[in-house]
Amino acid sequence: MNIIVLVKQVPDTESLLEVDTANATVNTQNVKWIINPYDEYAIEEALQIKEAKGAGSVTVVAVGPDRSEQALRTALAMGADTAVLVNDAAAEGSDALGIAKVLAGVIKEMPYDLVIAGVRAVDDDGYQVPAAVAEYLELPLVTAVIKQELGEGKITCHQLVEGGSLVVEAPLPMLFTAQKGLNEPRYASLPNIMKAKKKPLEKKRLADIGLDAALVGTGSAKVAISALALPPERKGGKMVTGDTPEALAAELVRLLKEEAEVL
Amino acid sequence: MATTFVSDRNLNFLLHEVFDLASLAEHPLYREHGRRSFDMIIDATLKLAKEICLPTLREMDEQPPVLTEGRVEVHAAVRRFMRECGDGGWIAAGFPHALDGEQLPQMLTCTCRYIFAAANYSLSVYPFLTAGAARLIANFGGAMLRKTYLPPMLSGRWQGTMALTEPQAGSSLADIVTEAVPMDAAATKAGSPYRIRGKKIFISAGDHDGVDNVVHLLLAKIAGAPAGVKGISLFVVPKLRPQSDGTLIPNDVAVSQIYHKLGYRGCPITELEFGQRDDCHGTLVGAPHRGLFYMFQMMNEARIEVGAGAAAIAQAAYGAALNYARLRPQGRALGAKDPDQPPLPIIQHADVKRMLLFQKAFVEGSLALILQCARYMDLEAISTGVEMEKYALLLDLLTPVAKTYPSEMGILSTSQAIQCFGGYGYCEDFPVAQYYRDVRIHPIHEGTTGIQGLDLLGRKLVRHNGRALGYLLAEIQATIASARNTAGLTAHADALATSLDQLDAVLAHLTVVAQSDGPDAYLADATVFLEFFGIITIAWQWLLQAVPAAAAEGTARTASDRRFYAGKRHACDFFFKYELPKATALATTLLHPARPTLETHARHF
């Protein structure tokens, strides 16, 4: 069974982020980069499936600049077999659909039975890329999976929904997204880190996958971020004063109406 | 909350900008490695430390090991961490490829241990004690011992310990009485079985349920051996004895008590009885009567690890204090009169900055010395002849300093971390109280500060005609020379040169004392000498860091790098203003003719 895992490199959630207001973006100069934690569930699940089958391969795929190679190497150190990085300046500034076009472009050239992605990326939190990839590849999609069972030519997924879970069956090949709870991702081991250096990591450009640069990048993005700001600082509390409970309540209502303007 | 228990920026600076770790990869021994794998290893270590070690720091302190029906129960994190360190290759990291290790340079393995220790010192001890014990078996044990014990130890299934101390002997190993009797009177060669009988105390991780077996590297005297340290032999004594069919049977090793300690509570310190039923088997490691020599191979490494552990705990305490000082508003600038002005974060007060700089200067100076020692180990491993001797002697000389300076000063540094928190620091709500308790063991275990002083002054400085000191002075002079060529560092270079003159004067004086008044007088202030020598050594390490930092500050591309290098400059200035002058006072003491510690009699107290 050949499994493809979509990987995104994101800022470590413990990094102190600075907003670059002029460019409506985050200043990433001092950021520590990690694999999107939900993608780690996806990688782990792929590895477990491969180990259970005793055959097949796990390929990790990412779109991004040079530094994304680091995330792919870490995935290789977890145990993935090969990696593909699409690194093309023309893809920079793509929105979710643009990235999905690139990913779908790479994947359709490869043999695969299953595609797994993280349910969301912790940086943009868009939830869109995996769904769009499934759409472009015309694959069935199941999101937020917390358990799966592979059968002959099909897969049964337990999908987390509000208040419970749905059991969904889909034919292979398909794409599912990994939700927290699916598994516990393994740590990269020293022997695997050493092996990861020698595993194949293929770098591609848009031309290599036959994708027209005009279809991706800032120019074709349907979504633009117009401004980015930190949440306002919390202001100090206010003590309501009054002699009786009635007076206190009346004052509170007045403040909620006139100052907070929530009533 | 941001990760504060360790500074990966500082680790990067030391490993690459000061000690040029990647250059080791040019040597065949380390050719498998390179900057990329080094970085991945550090990242993987940080992740493990953050996700497995750090979350149980407090719990392991609050739920110390329990002795139930002869078995020590420890926190569940121990089994998990031992397995991760075994399966992940961390225990075998520094072992050669032939033993399925990764043959990593010591600078890197040392950094990994430092990271784990900063996250949770007690937890970090289990795998690395095992690595130390396994290394003894690998270096000196026969094929059978290696085959039987190394795989389960390196994979984290079995715990390794060092069983040295006995109740009546304490630091004085010459007086141990644990006895080994050959089971076959004719066989005294390596690998032969012995019957062991004796009692050991203060054995770290001496028994616990986080592993399936415990392997003691035990010092004992073979019946009829010469008296003193020349009659000590080294044995492998398992808790459960492996049979030829692979099964394990009890080996008559009993836990008689576990100690209730001030800190470092996540790791059981045990008292062990060997051979109460006369059925405790041990296997001789190497030749008879060479035990102490073998053990000291491990001990030197263990001593540097102790120094690293102390610095690591202080690093975590400093991180917590720094975080708190940035967030805690209190008081106004001393000149500000307006009480309506909002209070300042306490990090803006000069005295708080003094406390933080003290911690920064201590932690980063100590870590530099630890990595310097690790670098000498690596250089020793890749050189031959005179070069190899040079690095071996440098390492030997600096070992008591690398063990003691971080351990003793770590107490003061974690104390200053508490001080930054004020009353809250004295309460257990914040981790600094625990760090203060945890760090206190370090001047005691693996050779007390008193022993280290005797080791430095009585052995390391005088052996080999004092060549070790000659090598060290040459290293320090080289750093002084490069600092003299660096703008802003000439005054520090001169100050360190003056300290070397003081060192010279003190040693000349002590040589006269030794000749005229004998060893008691020569060694009476060995601990004070070690403190004096330690301060000068750390001043050297600060100058060594300041040179590349000064060059980089001017050319740094990012604001955060510029801030980092400026921080290095200020911490170095702090050390030279506040700490190095203490060496002058200690020199005064060391040159002083009065000898109250020799002349005060027990009845005078």
Side-chain angles (χ1 to χ4, degrees):
Chain A
M1 166 158 289
N2 296 317
I3 307 169
I4 290 171
V5 181
L6 310 184
V7 168
K8 184 178 188 186
Q9 191 187 39
V10 297
D12 190 338
T13 45
E14 289 190 351
S15 295
L16 282 178
L17 293 182
E18 290 168 15
V19 172
D20 175 357
T21 36
N23 299 307
T25 181
V26 169
N27 183 353
T28 54
Q29 221 168 32
N30 304 316
V31 156
K32 184 176 165 65
W33 296 91
I34 58 168
I35 295 184
N36 172 39
Y38 291 90
D39 299 348
E40 289 188 352
Y41 299 119
I43 297 165
E44 176 63 34
E45 200 64 12
L47 295 174
Q48 287 187 14
I49 293 171
K50 182 192 150 187
E51 284 160 3
K53 297 263 172 203
S57 73
V58 174
T59 303
V60 283
V61 181
V63 182
D66 287 341
R67 60 170 161 72
S68 306
E69 188 181 329
Q70 227 182 318
L72 292 175
R73 288 277 171 209
T74 306
L76 293 173
M78 284 175 74
D81 301 291
T82 55
V84 180
L85 172 64
V86 185
N87 178 0
D88 196 316
E92 275 176 31
S94 293
D95 60 3
L97 293 184
I99 295 292
K101 272 179 215 159
V102 180
L103 287 168
V106 190
I107 294 169
K108 73 173 177 0
E109 310 281 314
M110 298 158 59
Y112 64 93
D113 305 290
L114 181 64
V115 183
I116 315 178
V119 67
R120 64 185 175 100
V122 297
D123 53 354
D124 297 336
D125 240 352
Y127 290 80
Q128 293 183 44
V129 171
V133 170
E135 184 64 24
Y136 290 133
L137 293 173
E138 297 179 5
L139 293 178
L141 166 75
V142 183
T143 56
V145 172
I146 49 168
K147 189 181 165 191
Q148 57 77 24
E149 288 138 23
L150 272 171
E152 268 315 306
K154 62 173 186 175
I155 186 170
T156 308
C157 296
H158 295 240
Q159 181 182 37
L160 192 69
V161 294
E162 202 174 324
S165 62
L166 295 176
V167 181
V168 187
E169 195 179 280
L172 294 179
M174 60 84 73
L175 186 154
F176 77 81
T177 69
Q179 174 62 288
K180 189 175 179 174
L182 178 64
N183 54 45
E184 199 170 322
R186 70 196 62 190
Y187 294 97
S189 71
L190 293 182
N192 277 339
I193 288 173
M194 300 310 296
K195 280 186 211 138
K197 286 204 311 185
K198 294 174 189 148
K199 288 182 180 172
L201 191 153
E202 201 182 343
K203 290 185 189 172
K204 295 193 171 187
R205 303 205 161 267
L206 294 179
D208 299 327
I209 56 173
L211 191 64
D212 182 355
L215 296 174
V216 298
T218 322
S220 76
K222 293 189 170 62
V223 176
I225 297 172
S226 53
L228 206 60
L230 289 172
E233 277 200 38
R234 256 199 321 192
K235 298 195 184 87
K238 182 163 195 154
M239 291 299 289
V240 181
T241 51
D243 295 332
T244 62
E246 290 75 12
L248 281 168
E251 174 63 5
L252 184 59
V253 170
R254 186 191 69 77
L255 286 170
L256 289 172
K257 275 186 179 160
E258 292 172 14
E259 281 196 16
E261 295 177 1
V262 293
L263 290 179
Chain B
M1 194 176 82
T3 304
T4 56
F5 68 94
V6 74
S7 159
D8 46 355
R9 180 65 185 89
N10 186 47
L11 287 174
N12 260 322
F13 170 72
L14 289 173
L15 289 175
H16 301 297
E17 297 169 58
V18 180
F19 294 118
D20 195 13
L21 172 62
S23 68
L24 285 177
E26 289 160 16
H27 192 275
L29 187 66
Y30 302 121
R31 67 165 175 268
E32 303 267 306
H33 303 287
R35 176 71 192 257
R36 201 161 66 192
S37 60
F38 292 148
D39 287 349
M40 282 179 80
I41 290 168
I42 300 272
D43 278 349
T45 310
L46 284 166
K47 191 171 163 68
L48 258 180
K50 201 155 64 182
E51 294 178 10
I52 296 189
C53 304
L54 193 63
T56 51
L57 170 73
R58 188 182 185 131
E59 247 175 59
M60 289 181 67
D61 181 58
E62 289 173 345
Q63 302 161 23
V66 184
L67 177 62
T68 314
E69 292 171 9
R71 188 175 164 80
V72 181
E73 290 169 6
V74 292
H75 194 284
V78 175
R79 185 167 284 270
R80 175 157 190 229
F81 189 54
M82 280 296 278
R83 290 300 290 263
E84 284 293 347
C85 285
D87 294 343
W90 265 265
I91 299 177
F95 282 68
H97 293 315
L99 293 170
D100 287 334
E102 291 306 329
Q103 214 156 296
L104 289 184
Q106 291 286 342
M107 267 198 280
L108 202 60
T109 55
C110 202
T111 303
C112 294
R113 289 172 189 198
Y114 182 83
I115 292 169
F116 289 133
N120 185 338
Y121 178 71
S122 293
L123 190 55
S124 75
V125 163
Y126 296 86
F128 299 119
L129 260 179
T130 305
R135 189 176 283 280
L136 267 181
I137 296 176
N139 289 351
F140 307 110
M144 200 57 194
L145 275 178
R146 292 157 65 126
K147 189 169 151 256
T148 310
Y149 289 96
L150 290 183
M153 290 172 82
L154 295 180
S155 65
R157 269 71 173 169
W158 293 4
Q159 175 70 50
T161 84
M162 286 200 277
L164 281 73
T165 308
E166 297 182 10
Q168 78 295 341
S171 293
S172 174
L173 289 171
D175 298 325
I176 64 165
V177 295
T178 294
E179 194 182 37
V181 181
M183 296 174 63
D184 171 358
T188 49
K189 63 178 199 305
S192 2
Y194 283 75
R195 220 174 275 285
I196 307 289
R197 193 204 298 264
K199 181 176 191 163
K200 295 284 177 183
I201 59 169
F202 299 143
I203 309 307
S204 286
D207 183 71
H208 64 92
D209 62 354
V211 285
D212 303 329
N213 197 4
V214 183
V215 183
H216 306 287
L217 272 291
L218 172 138
L219 291 184
K221 287 187 168 172
I222 297 172
V229 293
K230 292 198 168 72
I232 297 175
S233 302
L234 178 65
F235 294 87
V236 166
V237 183
K239 174 189 174 183
L240 301 172
R241 195 154 78 211
Q243 300 298 97
S244 51
D245 65 355
T247 54
L248 299 171
I249 60 165
N251 190 36
D252 193 14
V253 180
V255 186
S256 40
Q257 67 159 316
I258 55 174
Y259 296 92
H260 302 285
K261 311 186 296 295
L262 174 70
Y264 175 33
R265 287 186 179 158
C267 183
I269 308 301
T270 56
E271 179 184 272
L272 301 171
E273 301 272 3
F274 295 87
Q276 280 176 314
R277 290 181 284 109
D278 209 23
D279 186 34
C280 179
H281 296 201
T283 310
L284 180 66
V285 179
H289 318 315
R290 297 281 289 155
L292 206 59
F293 170 77
Y294 301 146
M295 190 57 101
F296 266 86
Q297 301 270 313
M298 171 154 109
M299 190 63 98
N300 279 336
E301 229 171 273
R303 285 180 171 169
I304 290 168
E305 271 171 37
V306 166
I313 295 170
Q315 164 98 63
Y318 164 56
L322 183 60
N323 218 23
Y324 185 76
R326 285 189 201 285
L327 298 175
R328 171 74 172 162
Q330 211 179 75
R332 289 160 192 84
L334 293 176
K337 302 273 189 269
D338 182 1
D340 287 338
Q341 283 300 305
L344 298 173
I346 59 172
I347 197 168
Q348 296 193 25
H349 300 307
D351 194 54
V352 175
K353 283 190 277 192
R354 179 189 57 78
M355 295 192 282
L356 292 168
L357 276 166
F358 173 77
Q359 295 170 68
K360 181 178 167 69
F362 159 72
V363 167
E364 295 176 8
S366 296
L367 178 57
L369 177 61
I370 300 292
L371 292 175
Q372 177 76 72
C373 288
R375 181 168 172 76
Y376 288 145
M377 288 185 211
D378 292 329
L379 293 173
E380 185 190 343
I382 59 174
S383 18
T384 52
V386 181
E387 277 288 286
M388 188 171 84
E389 189 215 52
K390 175 176 116 178
Y391 295 123
L393 288 181
L394 279 166
L395 178 63
D396 233 25
L397 178 66
L398 288 174
T399 298
V401 186
K403 196 265 170 187
T404 305
Y405 182 88
S407 298
E408 289 287 350
M409 295 298 290
I411 301 170
L412 303 186
S413 185
T414 50
S415 175
Q416 289 298 313
I418 290 182
Q419 198 70 15
C420 290
F421 281 81
Y424 293 112
Y426 192 66
C427 305
E428 297 278 352
D429 301 357
F430 288 97
V432 282
Q434 182 187 343
Y435 292 134
Y436 182 62
R437 290 184 287 103
D438 283 354
V439 86
R440 188 60 186 85
I441 184 63
H442 291 87
I444 300 170
H445 64 176
E446 313 302 356
T448 61
T449 296
I451 294 287
Q452 303 304 322
L454 295 176
D455 183 45
L456 176 65
L457 197 55
R459 282 200 285 257
K460 302 293 174 63
L461 280 171
V462 293
R463 271 205 309 226
H464 310 289
N465 297 318
R467 278 210 299 286
L469 181 64
Y471 287 131
L472 179 65
L473 292 176
E475 295 266 293
I476 299 178
Q477 292 291 6
T479 307
I480 290 176
S482 70
R484 283 218 168 96
N485 291 327
T486 307
L489 294 179
T490 34
H492 294 337
D494 292 343
L496 187 55
T498 304
S499 298
L500 290 187
D501 293 341
Q502 289 173 340
L503 174 64
D504 197 41
V506 166
L507 285 171
H509 167 75
L510 287 174
T511 308
V512 173
V513 169
Q515 281 159 359
S516 56
D517 304 320
D520 282 346
Y522 172 65
L523 294 171
D525 285 327
T527 298
V528 180
F529 179 81
L530 173 57
E531 188 182 354
F532 167 70
F533 196 82
I535 293 172
I536 295 172
T537 308
I538 299 297
W540 162 49
Q541 286 300 311
W542 264 113
L543 211 50
L544 195 67
Q545 295 179 72
V547 173
E553 191 180 346
T555 56
R557 282 183 302 122
T558 68
S560 83
D561 270 351
R562 281 191 293 278
R563 289 195 293 265
F564 176 81
Y565 295 119
K568 281 284 170 196
R569 174 162 51 84
H570 291 306
C572 181
D573 289 348
F574 179 90
F575 195 91
F576 276 82
K577 175 178 172 180
Y578 292 82
E579 294 301 307
L580 185 59
K582 292 176 182 171
T584 304
L586 293 166
T588 308
T589 300
L590 290 163
L591 293 167
H592 200 287
R595 290 177 187 158
T597 59
L598 287 181
E599 288 160 8
T600 311
H601 193 275
R603 65 178 174 273
H604 297 149
F605 286 95

